[in-house]
Short mmCIF file of all heavy atoms in Angstrom, two decimals:
data_model
loop_
_atom_site.label_atom_id
_atom_site.label_comp_id
_atom_site.label_asym_id
_atom_site.label_seq_id
_atom_site.Cartn_x
_atom_site.Cartn_y
_atom_site.Cartn_z
N PHE A 16 -60.90 5.26 -26.63
CA PHE A 16 -62.11 4.83 -27.33
C PHE A 16 -62.20 3.30 -27.38
O PHE A 16 -63.25 2.71 -27.11
CB PHE A 16 -62.11 5.44 -28.74
CG PHE A 16 -63.38 5.18 -29.49
CD1 PHE A 16 -64.61 5.55 -28.98
CD2 PHE A 16 -63.35 4.52 -30.73
CE1 PHE A 16 -65.79 5.31 -29.66
CE2 PHE A 16 -64.52 4.27 -31.41
CZ PHE A 16 -65.75 4.66 -30.89
N VAL A 17 -61.04 2.67 -27.69
CA VAL A 17 -61.00 1.20 -27.75
C VAL A 17 -61.32 0.61 -26.37
O VAL A 17 -62.11 -0.33 -26.24
CB VAL A 17 -59.62 0.70 -28.26
CG1 VAL A 17 -59.48 -0.80 -28.09
CG2 VAL A 17 -59.45 1.08 -29.73
N ALA A 18 -60.72 1.23 -25.32
CA ALA A 18 -60.95 0.74 -23.96
C ALA A 18 -62.44 0.85 -23.63
O ALA A 18 -63.03 -0.05 -23.03
CB ALA A 18 -60.14 1.58 -22.97
N TYR A 19 -63.04 1.99 -24.07
CA TYR A 19 -64.46 2.21 -23.82
C TYR A 19 -65.31 1.12 -24.50
O TYR A 19 -66.19 0.53 -23.91
CB TYR A 19 -64.83 3.60 -24.35
CG TYR A 19 -66.31 3.90 -24.37
CD1 TYR A 19 -66.98 4.24 -23.20
CD2 TYR A 19 -67.02 3.85 -25.57
CE1 TYR A 19 -68.34 4.51 -23.23
CE2 TYR A 19 -68.37 4.11 -25.61
CZ TYR A 19 -69.02 4.45 -24.44
OH TYR A 19 -70.37 4.72 -24.48
N LEU A 20 -64.94 0.82 -25.77
CA LEU A 20 -65.67 -0.22 -26.51
C LEU A 20 -65.53 -1.58 -25.83
O LEU A 20 -66.49 -2.31 -25.66
CB LEU A 20 -65.17 -0.32 -27.95
CG LEU A 20 -65.60 0.80 -28.89
CD1 LEU A 20 -65.05 0.53 -30.29
CD2 LEU A 20 -67.12 0.92 -28.95
N LEU A 21 -64.27 -1.88 -25.42
CA LEU A 21 -64.02 -3.18 -24.78
C LEU A 21 -64.79 -3.30 -23.48
O LEU A 21 -65.39 -4.33 -23.18
CB LEU A 21 -62.52 -3.35 -24.50
CG LEU A 21 -61.68 -3.74 -25.71
CD1 LEU A 21 -60.21 -3.80 -25.33
CD2 LEU A 21 -62.13 -5.09 -26.26
N ALA A 22 -64.81 -2.18 -22.73
CA ALA A 22 -65.55 -2.19 -21.46
C ALA A 22 -67.00 -2.49 -21.74
O ALA A 22 -67.64 -3.28 -21.04
CB ALA A 22 -65.41 -0.84 -20.76
N GLY A 23 -67.51 -1.90 -22.82
CA GLY A 23 -68.90 -2.14 -23.20
C GLY A 23 -69.14 -3.60 -23.52
O GLY A 23 -70.13 -4.18 -23.12
N CYS A 24 -68.16 -4.23 -24.20
CA CYS A 24 -68.34 -5.62 -24.60
C CYS A 24 -68.30 -6.58 -23.42
O CYS A 24 -68.98 -7.58 -23.40
CB CYS A 24 -67.24 -6.04 -25.57
SG CYS A 24 -67.39 -5.19 -27.14
N THR A 25 -67.46 -6.25 -22.44
CA THR A 25 -67.27 -7.20 -21.35
C THR A 25 -68.21 -6.93 -20.17
O THR A 25 -68.21 -7.67 -19.22
CB THR A 25 -65.82 -7.17 -20.84
OG1 THR A 25 -65.52 -5.82 -20.52
CG2 THR A 25 -64.85 -7.70 -21.87
N GLN A 26 -69.01 -5.85 -20.28
CA GLN A 26 -69.92 -5.52 -19.18
C GLN A 26 -70.93 -6.64 -18.93
O GLN A 26 -71.34 -7.31 -19.88
CB GLN A 26 -70.71 -4.27 -19.55
CG GLN A 26 -70.58 -3.19 -18.51
CD GLN A 26 -71.20 -1.91 -19.00
OE1 GLN A 26 -72.14 -1.95 -19.77
NE2 GLN A 26 -70.67 -0.81 -18.57
N ALA A 27 -71.29 -6.84 -17.66
CA ALA A 27 -72.27 -7.88 -17.35
C ALA A 27 -73.59 -7.54 -18.02
O ALA A 27 -73.97 -6.38 -18.06
CB ALA A 27 -72.48 -7.93 -15.84
N PRO A 28 -74.27 -8.56 -18.60
CA PRO A 28 -75.59 -8.27 -19.17
C PRO A 28 -76.50 -7.82 -18.03
O PRO A 28 -76.56 -8.46 -17.00
CB PRO A 28 -76.03 -9.62 -19.74
CG PRO A 28 -75.19 -10.65 -19.07
CD PRO A 28 -73.94 -9.99 -18.62
N ASP A 50 -74.72 -14.21 -17.94
CA ASP A 50 -75.50 -15.09 -18.82
C ASP A 50 -75.86 -16.38 -18.10
O ASP A 50 -76.98 -16.86 -18.19
CB ASP A 50 -74.71 -15.41 -20.09
CG ASP A 50 -74.69 -14.20 -21.02
OD1 ASP A 50 -75.62 -13.38 -20.90
OD2 ASP A 50 -73.74 -14.08 -21.81
#
Side-chain angles (χ1 to χ4, degrees):
F16 186 57
V17 169
Y19 170 78
L20 286 182
L21 281 177
C24 292
T25 53
Q26 235 172 30
D50 286 335

